[in-house]
Amino acid sequence: MHVQEWLETIPAVSIYLLVGVVIGLESLGIPLPGEIILVSSALLASQHGDIDPVVLGACASAGAIIGDSIGYAIGRRGGRPLLAWLGGRFPKHFGEPQIALAERSFTKWGVWAVFFGRFVALLRIFAGPLAGVLRMPYWKFLIANVLGGIVWAGGTTAVIYSVGVVAEAWLKRFSWLGLLAAVLIGVTSMLVLKNRAKKAAEQADRTVSAPEPDAVPAAD
């Protein structure tokens, strides 16, 4: 059973809670498919009137903000040993290469890594705990966390919901085509964003890791 087919079997209140909890746990640092759950729920809201997209977006935003804040507190308390422990338990997500890339992104972009990290799966998991480990001032983290959570969760919900509604209106006689079009457009948009974010991260990686030119000896 696909995610959306499964979501159709549960009541709206449970969907709100599910979206908030899954995104919250993902933001806390647990590798979960928060983005897939959010997109599937927003598409479902565009097809069923009993799911309010505003409430859905608010629950997703709340989960993102609260989860990141808890992750920050855990990272600040656990420090480097926490990252080492996570690397042993989840090597595909918290291995040394992933941690190094995330740290370089934080070094390059600072607080903006928390904001834009919402749109990148790897940084979405790392942002809260790593900001705590690196001792980022909490007030800076909180501002980026709140703004990033609202823009990512609320924006994703609004875009996917709108695409679903428009697609259904245009292709009312072929509702399955409308759903397929919405999925393709939504996935394409996310891939474009992720590709741009990946290129930006690679550029930051090259900038940070590039060796400095040897100093020219002074003339006698």
Side-chain angles (χ1 to χ4, degrees):
M1 180 181 291
H2 296 294
V3 174
Q4 186 148 351
E5 293 176 348
W6 177 69
L7 289 173
E8 290 178 351
T9 65
I10 60 179
V13 174
S14 299
I15 291 177
Y16 300 147
L17 292 174
L18 176 68
V19 168
V21 170
V22 171
I23 290 177
L25 292 175
E26 182 190 35
S27 302
L28 191 152
I30 300 176
L32 289 175
E35 192 170 55
I36 294 176
I37 292 292
L38 179 58
V39 169
S40 299
S41 300
L43 280 174
L44 187 62
S46 70
Q47 306 292 320
H48 299 276
D50 55 336
I51 301 176
D52 189 334
V54 175
V55 177
L56 181 65
C59 290
S61 299
I65 295 168
I66 294 172
D68 244 16
S69 296
I70 296 175
Y72 174 91
I74 293 174
R76 192 174 181 88
R77 185 176 181 84
R80 296 279 176 180
L82 173 64
L83 294 180
W85 179 82
L86 288 172
R89 297 297 297 271
F90 306 102
K92 292 184 178 180
H93 297 89
F94 292 93
E96 290 185 6
Q98 290 82 1
I99 292 176
L101 176 59
E103 284 190 300
R104 284 191 289 269
S105 298
F106 268 71
T107 301
K108 177 70 175 179
W109 303 108
V111 70
W112 288 106
V114 178
F115 179 86
F116 289 111
R118 278 287 168 198
F119 300 90
V120 184
L122 175 65
L123 290 180
R124 190 160 56 247
I125 297 173
F126 270 110
L130 191 57
V133 170
L134 298 179
R135 301 283 175 170
M136 178 181 290
Y138 182 69
W139 68 270
K140 291 184 177 180
F141 167 80
L142 182 61
I143 293 175
N145 178 29
V146 171
L147 293 178
I150 292 174
V151 172
W152 173 73
T156 299
T157 302
V159 170
I160 299 300
Y161 174 82
S162 300
V163 168
V165 170
V166 171
E168 185 181 23
W170 284 354
L171 302 168
K172 193 171 184 180
R173 295 179 59 187
F174 305 97
S175 58
W176 64 274
L177 274 178
L179 178 59
L180 178 61
V183 171
L184 290 176
I185 294 173
V187 169
T188 300
S189 299
M190 284 187 293
L191 287 177
V192 170
L193 284 173
K194 287 184 177 181
N195 185 52
R196 290 182 179 178
K198 183 179 179 181
K199 289 182 178 179
E202 290 174 350
Q203 179 64 34
D205 185 20
R206 288 194 295 268
T207 301
V208 174
S209 59
E212 295 183 0
D214 296 334
V216 178
D220 294 335

